[in-house]
Each structure stands twice: as structure tokens, then as C-alpha cells.
Amino acid sequence: MAASFFAPSRMVAVVGEDFPESYTTLLQSRGIDLSGLTRQKGRTFRWKGRYAQNLNDRETLDTQLNVFEDFQPTLPSAWISSRYIFLGNIDPQLQSSVLDQVNSPVLVAADTMNFWINGKAELLSHTLRRVNLLFVNDSEALELAKEQNIVRAAKKISAMGPKWIVIKRGEYGAMLFLEDQIFTIPAFPLASVFDPTGAGDSFAGGFMGYLALAKEINERNLRQALVVGSVMASFVVEDFSLDRLQTVNDLQIRERFRAFKNLTHFDDLSLDLLRVAS
Amino acid sequence: MAASFFAPSRMVAVVGEDFPESYTTLLQSRGIDLSGLTRQKGRTFRWKGRYAQNLNDRETLDTQLNVFEDFQPTLPSAWISSRYIFLGNIDPQLQSSVLDQVNSPVLVAADTMNFWINGKAELLSHTLRRVNLLFVNDSEALELAKEQNIVRAAKKISAMGPKWIVIKRGEYGAMLFLEDQIFTIPAFPLASVFDPTGAGDSFAGGFMGYLALAKEINERNLRQALVVGSVMASFVVEDFSLDRLQTVNDLQIRERFRAFKNLTHFDDLSLDLLRVAS
């Protein structure tokens, strides 16, 4: 959904019989190709959690895999030429199996989490070797790299495969590790955050969609993509579910991009101040 | 010490008989006016703590007020015209007594902490009414405002007096709340942080020194001051005590300012991408 604001999008996923028709209609209304969406006997994946009052920490109360449990992502044969791949946060073996089904993509990005870092380290390391860009939370990055410092962790993760690493820091924003540079963006300061669920996925969606729109993958576009991801995430948390993404428009997206500029911009030191008074 | 890189600096403080002569010599070598420094019978203030492995959280193991216990800051009479005042983190009543000794300063900034927020709320609120700019940690800002959200907290604190509020967020950087704008800066990502002690004070020192150098207090200079504060803090944590500030030079300060620019800069959306593809 977040990606569809910027580029034609395709989705591979599985849902159960309980999945509301209104959502597939919604996704289609944004031009998202759902030929990779399987509807299957049983119930859709469900997650239930409780957020701490700071909305940054959350506790899982219940996870029901349901139809997700035996999910084998199968791409429609026409999708073999898909160019921008985002591997959602699932079993690294399944992530690899998706890559087996595409032919020389331009960019392969992946998300992962502590569950796979601890439980399927070897399979994850196999997948990471095929990934160009990794999205990961800060605490999970430290776990993955067995480090205490995020700069050293990113360097180590980069040696595992991904050329670029996006560290998600919740209310503190995100960092992008390029080869020899670091770019940071704060989270958009909102006076009220309604529901942070899905912020990370919308972030990745906006990021990937913008890169596809910008076409060339270079430092300039990667930096802008991180801002666009933050823009989309900042809208999603303003309401439940996809509600805010149903009302947001292009003008508001561009305005918030500019608001991020105002939030982070400062002028170079003036020439007459360049000689610091020591 | 951090301020002295940018503007002539004066210090009001008390030390005991145990305070090493080498430090007063060091401060004087940077042109800092120490006529407000009292040397008194007894021992200097001491703090002992333990940092968590993330270096963001710390636990106080021992605090000895010593000569600081009966400290009554007295300004040399010539300092009545001091223009940029930074009230260090002490009893709000003493902060007020310093303000009683100066004549129409250009800027009054103050630091405070949970100890005074909880213990001397009324005196603190009295001081805050006389303060233009408050430096405060994020958790302390929430406590002071009795809020869960930092944007709402800053608005409330502003209603207590300070026109501008700097929220310090440790490894996550800092936020500056201007009247109707917010500016953020990340902490400088270092592969190894040696000792975070004194980072907040060096931050405030660099901030105040730069504002005095820039002369005019406007949005542009306040934003730059936040960056300069972050620059000075990023040097201090590279070594123990004032060690790094003894070796850092103007060129390195300017280079790190530019590094902060590179860390946060992104280009505006290109004209041909301005019409988001929806």
C-alpha cells in the first residue's frame, strides 16, 4: 500500500477465508497487482500485542500463524522479471525461495527479526548473502552482529552480504549505512501517535516504492528513499491499520517531505565565523 | 572549556583543596576568566557512577557534595553585565540568586534534572519564569511536564517560561523546540564511545559559546548552535574528562560540523518526481 503511491506494486501473500473483501478491493483500487495473493482454507495470520506508554516498546500477547504456517510463496510466472524485491519478515528459507523465482532483480531488500536471528542463524546468513539492503531494528542489528555499538554492528552486517543497511529506531528515526557514509533521519515528531503497528512495513514500502520511481540506485536516491519511508510511516501511525493511507494524498506526502527538510536543515557556518575563536 | 572555543568565557564555581592546579592552569590557558572560582577548605564535589553497556543509561554509585554543599554562587561585581548566562544544574534557588546578580542579560539558559523537578518543583517553576532556554533530558522533560509525549511536553514547558527548549536524548541526539518549529540533530555515530561523562555540559557549552559568537539570537543561529553543541559533545566522549578538548583544534571542529551536515543532508524531491505516481 505504501509503495503503491510511488510505483506499480505487486504482492505475494496468503490470507484465510476470514480476510475481508474490502481490503483486497482497497489494495486493487491503488493498482496493486494481487495475482500473487492466495486465499486459503482457515484463518488469516493474527498478532495481538500491548504497547508501552512510550509507544516504542511492545509486548506480544498472542501470535496465531494460521494459514501463514504452511505458506510457500509462489510467484506468478510473469513476475520472474520483477526488479525491486522486498522480502518481508518471514523464515529466511522462504525468503531465499522467493529469490529463486526471480531473474536478476535490480535490488533485493529484506527485513528480519530476532526470532530468525536466534532460531535460524545459518539459513539467515545464507539469505543475507543474496540481499543488497537489510531493514532491521537497532536492537536486532546488535544481536545479529553480536556487538554493543551500532556503527560496528552495521560494518559487521555489511560483511555478511548487504551493501546497505537501514537501522530502524522507532521514535528515534532511522539510520542508513552506505558504504562509507551514514545518513540519519529522525522520526516525525507527532503530538499524538495513535497506533505504531505497521510503521516499519510502511517505512519499507515507501522506501522501496520511491527507489523504483527514482530508477537509479545511488546515494542521493537512497537518502531520499529513507525520508520517503519515514514520511509514509509518520502517516500510518496517525490512525489504525491502513486508515490514514486511505485518505492521505500526494500533496500531503510532498508537504511532509518538506517538513522533514525543515526538521533537519541547518546552514553551513558563515565564512566570517569559519575561524573559530580559539 | 567547550564554550571557550567560540567566545570569551567566565566561570563561577567552587572547588576544594584537593582540586589539581593543572586544571585551573588548563582553563586559564584557554582564556577562561576564573575570578568567579572559589577555592575552599574541604574536598571538591565528587560523583561516581556505572554506565550500562549501551552507554546511554547510568547508575549513580556515590555522590559527595563536599564544598558544593554550602555553595553560594557570587559573581565578581564586574560581571554584572554578563550577556550570555548558563545556569548549571544546581538548586533552582541558587540559579535564581545568580540571575539576581546580573543586569539584563541577552540570554538566560539553564539545565535541570529530576532531583530538582521532584524535590523543589515550586522554586524551579519560579526560576523557569526567568529562563529563555532550557536544556533537559527527554525523560526529565516528560516528568517536568507530566506528559508521555515529547512534543506535548515541550509545549507545556514553554508555557512555564522558556521560549526555547533543548531536549537531550543521549545517543539519539537532541531536539530544539522553537516557537512553532522543531529542529533535530542526531548524535554523531562513533564506532567507540570512551566515556559519556560530561557530554551534556560540553553540549551546552558549545551551544552557548556559538550563540555568543554568532551574536544574533535567531532561528538560523539557534539551529547551528545545536549542531555545534553536538560537535563538542561528540569530541568529549572520545576520551576521559577534558582530555579530548585539550587536543581538538579549530579545523577538526569545522570538519565535524561538516560531517554532521553530511550525516543529515538530503536533496529536495526533483521536479519530475514531484507529482507522486498515484
Side-chain angles (χ1 to χ4, degrees), chain A residues 34-98:
Chain A
L34 296 185
S35 38
L37 178 67
T38 312
R39 187 183 286 271
Q40 199 174 291
K41 230 180 160 64
R43 298 182 82 211
T44 306
F45 169 92
R46 275 156 201 269
W47 175 83
K48 187 177 175 180
R50 181 182 286 132
Y51 289 92
Q53 287 213 286
N54 63 21
L55 292 179
N56 219 22
D57 306 315
R58 69 181 180 191
E59 179 197 356
T60 291
L61 298 175
D62 185 29
T63 303
Q64 296 172 24
L65 290 178
N66 299 329
V67 297
F68 202 57
E69 192 161 3
D70 304 306
F71 181 44
Q72 293 290 339
T74 309
L75 274 59
S77 56
W79 292 12
I80 190 171
S81 58
S82 293
R83 291 178 304 151
Y84 298 85
I85 315 285
F86 174 60
L87 303 168
N89 180 9
I90 50 171
D91 188 321
Q93 193 158 19
L94 298 184
Q95 292 179 320
S96 264
S97 83
V98 170

Side-chain angles (χ1 to χ4, degrees), chain B residues 4 8 39 74 78 112 120 128-129 151 155 164 170 191 194-195 207 209 216-217 238 270 273:
Chain B
S4 72
R39 189 182 283 271
T74 309
T112 194
K120 303 222 172 177
L128 284 181
R129 268 177 253 142
V151 178
K155 203 171 261 302
W164 305 298
F194 201 80
D195 178 13
F207 187 102
E216 209 182 329
I217 300 178
E238 287 181 356
S270 307
L273 294 182

Side-chain angles (χ1 to χ4, degrees), chain A residues 78 125 167 207 216:
Chain A
S125 117
I167 307 281
F207 187 102
E216 208 183 329

Side-chain angles (χ1 to χ4, degrees), chain A residues 23-35:
Chain A
Y23 282 115
T24 46
T25 309
L26 169 63
L27 294 168
Q28 278 164 334
S29 78
R30 289 216 54 88
I32 300 169
D33 187 341
L34 296 185
S35 38

